[in-house]
Amino acid sequence: MYFNGFDQTYKDWIWYAKPIEINASETVNQEPETERDFFGETVDMCEGAHEHFTENPEEFKKFVEEGKKPLYPGCYKHTKLSGLVKLYNLKARHGMTDNCFADMLIELGDLLPIGQELPSSMFEAKKTLNALGLKYEKIHACFNDCILYRKKYHDLTSCPKCGLSRWKVTKKNVVKKGVSTKVLWYFPPIPRFKRMFKYLETSKSLTWHNEAQIKDGRLRYPADSPSWKMIDYKWPNFGTEPRNLRLALSLDGINPHSSLSSRYSCWPVILVTYNLPPELCMKRKFMMLTLLISGPKQLGNDIDIYLEPLVDDLALL
């Protein structure tokens, strides 16, 4: 851009998230948006959960049948499963307590028509959603960010570098054994990559950079960049397989409490998949949270200690 200037022939950007206009005659046989949501999203969620039921296929069949039920008789927009997922997302976004969410389920159940399928308690809601969930790990960490209590340090009760206890100590110097001074939340990316390849549409999108991208020497997308091409040149076996994933890692400290008076610092570590088309790779559903490092202070160079489990999985891949 600096050396060559802006393209004077540019008028409309047609390759980035611009909807394609369709004639009215072509839309006659298309299924309604509500029906696509009803079946498509529920099927995607259920297919992704299949691996959790490999030892009990009958349980999976029951789970699918439950998930496909309309939220209430005559409802064509939401199933029992998709409605519950939307409500739970609302709970997480606004920081609802479990008691508040349980009360909301009861009130909504009273407002919906007779025969509604919404769970009536937090226990039932969690039981349904746990079938969809992916595993995560809670890894204990030294309060001074010296080590993670994993691998050779797994069974230690104090840090071998600074000597600080692994467990919290009360004001009366009572050790609360089992309660770590600091915890790292780790969400392994490998199972989620597997799910991306299981979905038909997503698996097609993961090779977009090789099959659908315009290759005319202009820089429109990360695949046009010198960095991408350098990887293809240095590791040709990797570059020739379009399904191989190109990832970007992003991290930053945030204050999760929405209060300027709080100095608490929380660090999310996110992976972005550059294989996807530009209109998808920065979508929230494809931005993959892998680590959540809790405060209360900023990490500085000690953050590499917390990246260890992610680096191990990426090396394995």
Side-chain angles (χ1 to χ4, degrees):
M1 180 72 76
Y2 178 80
F3 287 108
N4 301 321
F6 200 81
D7 186 358
Q8 297 302 312
T9 63
Y10 170 89
K11 290 183 180 178
D12 293 313
W13 188 300
I14 61 172
W15 301 113
Y16 182 82
K18 184 177 179 179
I20 300 172
E21 295 180 4
I22 302 175
N23 295 330
S25 60
E26 295 176 348
T27 62
V28 173
N29 296 323
Q30 289 184 347
E31 60 183 7
E33 184 69 18
T34 53
E35 289 193 16
R36 188 192 68 80
D37 289 342
F38 183 92
F39 295 107
E41 292 187 8
T42 305
V43 168
D44 278 356
M45 287 190 289
C46 291
E47 282 181 353
H50 180 267
E51 62 197 43
H52 295 280
F53 296 93
T54 50
E55 297 179 1
N56 194 345
E58 287 299 318
E59 191 70 21
F60 177 71
K61 184 179 178 182
K62 181 181 176 183
F63 167 72
V64 172
E65 290 173 353
E66 285 287 316
K68 286 186 176 180
K69 286 181 179 179
L71 187 58
Y72 55 84
C75 177
Y76 296 101
K77 190 172 183 180
H78 294 296
T79 63
K80 172 185 176 181
L81 186 59
S82 66
L84 183 57
V85 168
K86 282 183 178 291
L87 289 175
Y88 209 85
N89 192 22
L90 191 69
K91 173 189 184 301
R93 196 184 311 146
H94 296 285
M96 284 188 204
T97 63
D98 285 358
N99 289 336
C100 176
F101 187 68
D103 290 344
M104 185 180 72
L105 289 175
I106 295 171
E107 294 298 328
L108 281 175
D110 289 338
L111 294 172
L112 291 175
I114 296 173
Q116 58 85 18
E117 296 288 340
L118 205 62
S120 58
S121 68
M122 190 66 192
F123 174 77
E124 290 181 31
K126 282 188 174 181
K127 188 176 178 181
T128 303
L129 293 173
N130 282 345
L132 289 174
L134 291 163
K135 293 181 180 179
Y136 63 88
E137 299 175 31
K138 292 170 69 175
I139 304 172
H140 294 175
C142 171
F143 184 77
N144 291 329
D145 309 320
C146 301
I147 62 161
L148 295 178
Y149 288 98
R150 60 192 294 266
K151 293 185 176 179
K152 63 180 181 180
Y153 301 130
H154 183 269
D155 298 322
L156 297 183
T157 56
S158 60
C159 177
K161 296 185 178 180
C162 68
L164 202 65
S165 173
R166 176 177 183 168
W167 313 117
K168 279 190 176 181
V169 180
T170 65
K171 293 180 180 178
K172 296 181 180 180
N173 290 326
V174 177
V175 177
K176 299 174 70 175
K177 192 171 182 180
V179 182
S180 177
T181 54
K182 188 179 276 191
V183 176
L184 167 70
W185 295 72
Y186 178 52
F187 307 87
I190 294 177
R192 286 184 280 177
F193 289 142
K194 287 182 179 180
R195 283 199 181 184
M196 290 174 73
F197 281 104
K198 280 183 178 180
Y199 298 155
L200 180 62
E201 293 304 317
T202 307
S203 62
K204 287 180 181 178
S205 297
L206 288 172
T207 57
W208 178 91
H209 65 92
N210 183 69
E211 297 168 1
Q213 182 204 4
I214 298 175
K215 299 177 181 179
D216 58 2
R218 296 183 181 181
L219 182 60
R220 290 188 178 92
Y221 183 72
D224 299 321
S225 67
S227 300
W228 188 293
K229 293 172 182 176
M230 182 193 71
I231 291 173
D232 290 344
Y233 175 76
K234 291 187 69 174
W235 296 281
N237 290 336
F238 180 87
T240 52
E241 172 53 76
R243 291 174 297 178
N244 285 334
L245 299 177
R246 315 289 182 113
L247 306 173
L249 185 143
S250 173
L251 61 149
D252 199 1
I254 62 170
N255 180 348
H257 300 301
S258 302
S259 172
L260 293 177
S261 61
S262 173
R263 298 177 61 190
Y264 189 90
S265 178
C266 178
W267 288 72
V269 179
I270 295 170
L271 285 182
V272 177
T273 307
Y274 276 157
N275 292 51
L276 296 166
E279 66 270 20
L280 292 182
C281 70
M282 290 299 176
K283 287 279 187 181
R284 182 181 174 187
K285 66 183 291 185
F286 292 114
M287 296 179 71
M288 192 179 294
L289 178 67
T290 55
L291 295 165
L292 196 58
I293 310 166
S294 57
K297 59 187 179 68
Q298 296 209 17
L299 299 167
N301 291 335
D302 294 329
I303 197 167
D304 55 359
I305 297 296
Y306 293 92
L307 295 176
E308 282 179 4
L310 177 58
V311 170
D312 288 346
D313 269 357
L314 292 178
L316 176 63
L317 287 171

